[in-house]
Amino acid sequence: MAKILDTKSIYYNDVNLIAQPSKVKSRGDVPRELNRIIVSPMEAVIGETFAKEADKLGLTICLHRFCEISKQIGIYNQLNNKDNVFVSVGANDLDRVKALSEAGATNYLLDIANGYIQNLNDIVSKIKHTAKNIDKIMIGNVMTGEGFKNAVNAGRSADVYVRTGIAGGSACSTSDATGYNRGQITEIMEVAKEKRILRQQYKYYSGMQQQYVIADGGIKNGNYAAKAFGAGADYVMMGGFFARALEAETHILGDGTYWGGASHKQQERYGGIKKHSEGKVYEVNDKLEPLNKLVDELWGGISSAVSYSGYKSLTEFIGNGVFEIKENSLPPKR
């Protein structure tokens, strides 16, 4: 039987953060935590040039799987801070898992769009069995507390990073194609609440490691990133934002477009088989900037938000944002 939930979908643009008495003199006093910014596993963005610069800056990087295994390993081997690197694999990509494991990879991203699939436990179990060692595993995408709980249970013996957000990405057409979508503030706050519940339940369970919330999709600037952190995201994942970097692979190739991982363009570039598409392709018309300048711009907004928050660091601010609904953004029920 169909039903309408009592909850309301609150998007980033539906709320404002409200300033609190500051505990820092300026945003320059806020420690840089660039590892909390994750670069999405998009072929249009991540190539050798981009990955090396992002690694140098301290961003967390997800190496995409839309290439030969040897190329993915080749880029991985050139990066210095392996703790900040996830390698992407598909649901049936065990040869890739085995090769990456032999190359020393310990952080894996299961790159599927639907974190609610019935055989999620089986897929994750096979990846764990194939890899020599897994310290961190990234799973998703989900949009509810229940989805977060299922992902955590699937990943359990490693630190689990859960991508939260369905249909929010700039190159995603899932909402148009399927009708599934949810306000990012609503889903992040619900998932963060579930994380707190699980941490309390698993406090004395030795087989359960740490769990983290990743806000994935629709984060286009420091404004939205700050709101995601304030709502409870431990990390933010961004793709389209980085397509403006001079080092983005699309510009290295001379292409100049940004495309989704589920787009027909991606299917043609890797595999050549056209199937149902839930990804868009668009021209990158913004002025291109060096990656370090884009990151400085982004961190400037985030650190300034922290300075207004009443906390001394981004870590302290996470999940403690004070929000106010914009007037007329969410009209009352009649």
Side-chain angles (χ1 to χ4, degrees):
M1 179 178 172
K3 61 181 177 180
I4 296 179
L5 301 177
D6 291 332
T7 50
K8 292 182 178 180
S9 244
I10 303 175
Y11 293 81
Y12 291 130
N13 202 39
D14 288 323
V15 294
N16 289 318
L17 282 161
I18 305 302
Q20 307 298 310
S22 182
K23 293 184 179 178
V24 296
K25 292 180 180 179
S26 73
R27 71 182 188 184
D29 294 332
V30 177
R32 286 170 78 90
E33 297 183 54
L34 294 182
N35 64 303
R36 292 193 180 275
I37 300 167
I38 303 177
V39 185
S40 184
M42 296 296 194
E43 185 188 8
V45 173
I46 296 187
E48 180 180 330
T49 302
F50 184 98
K52 289 165 70 174
E53 181 64 15
D55 181 57
K56 185 167 65 175
L57 292 170
L59 300 174
T60 294
I61 309 160
C62 296
L63 299 181
H64 69 81
R65 61 187 174 87
F66 302 110
C67 60
E68 295 298 322
I69 299 173
S70 58
K71 182 176 180 180
Q72 192 179 22
I73 291 174
I75 296 175
Y76 178 81
N77 286 337
Q78 295 182 64
L79 305 180
N80 295 315
N81 192 354
K82 297 296 198 293
D83 192 51
N84 286 354
V85 181
F86 285 82
V87 291
S88 302
V89 299
N92 301 300
D93 228 353
L94 296 183
D95 287 342
R96 185 179 296 268
V97 173
K98 186 173 186 294
L100 287 164
S101 177
E102 290 174 350
T106 58
N107 304 333
Y108 293 82
L109 186 167
L110 174 56
D111 191 17
I112 58 177
N114 184 357
Y116 295 87
I117 55 175
Q118 188 178 31
N119 60 336
L120 180 63
N121 284 348
D122 291 338
I123 294 171
V124 175
S125 178
K126 288 177 181 178
I127 291 173
K128 288 181 177 180
H129 181 74
T130 303
K132 291 180 180 179
N133 183 40
I134 295 184
D135 293 329
K136 305 175 183 177
I137 187 160
M138 194 181 295
I139 303 174
N141 283 43
V142 305
M143 65 190 330
T144 61
E146 186 65 25
F148 180 85
K149 181 178 180 179
N150 291 341
V152 167
N153 285 332
R156 69 169 54 209
S157 60
D159 286 349
V160 185
Y161 294 68
V162 184
R163 295 168 73 177
T164 301
I166 292 178
S170 59
C172 182
S173 61
T174 298
S175 179
D176 294 337
T178 70
Y180 285 85
N181 196 358
R182 198 177 192 199
Q184 296 99 333
I185 294 293
T186 299
E187 61 191 1
I188 293 170
M189 291 183 73
E190 181 177 315
V191 165
K193 179 180 178 180
E194 185 65 31
K195 182 190 79 171
R196 292 192 297 272
I197 293 171
L198 290 178
R199 283 195 173 178
Q200 188 60 36
Q201 290 177 350
Y202 297 140
K203 190 174 182 179
Y204 304 106
Y205 177 60
S206 60
M208 180 62 68
Q209 303 302 313
Q210 295 298 310
Q211 309 96 40
Y212 301 96
V213 178
I214 301 171
D216 180 17
I219 300 174
K220 58 184 181 180
N221 50 34
N223 166 5
Y224 286 12
K227 289 174 182 177
F229 286 125
D234 299 293
Y235 295 82
V236 296
M237 177 173 278
M238 304 171 73
F241 176 86
F242 292 114
R244 296 191 285 134
L246 285 166
E247 297 89 341
E249 186 68 2
T250 184
H251 308 304
I252 300 295
L253 296 173
D255 184 296
T257 66
Y258 177 66
W259 61 90
S263 65
H264 279 153
K265 179 167 183 171
Q266 186 65 81
Q267 293 167 19
E268 290 168 349
R269 288 180 61 82
Y270 187 72
I273 301 173
K274 275 195 175 185
K275 52 187 178 182
H276 173 67
S277 170
E278 291 179 18
K280 301 175 183 177
V281 180
Y282 62 83
E283 297 283 341
V284 181
N285 293 319
D286 299 290
K287 180 184 176 182
L288 303 185
E289 302 279 5
L291 179 59
N292 69 318
K293 186 173 180 180
L294 287 178
V295 170
D296 282 345
E297 169 194 320
L298 179 62
W299 180 252
I302 294 171
S303 60
S304 185
V306 172
S307 75
Y308 281 109
S309 72
Y311 294 91
K312 293 181 179 180
S313 69
L314 177 55
T315 293
E316 291 181 359
F317 172 57
I318 289 170
N320 290 310
V322 178
F323 294 94
E324 186 173 69
I325 301 291
K326 292 182 181 180
E327 184 178 6
N328 299 324
S329 185
L330 294 176
K333 291 182 179 179
R334 295 186 178 183

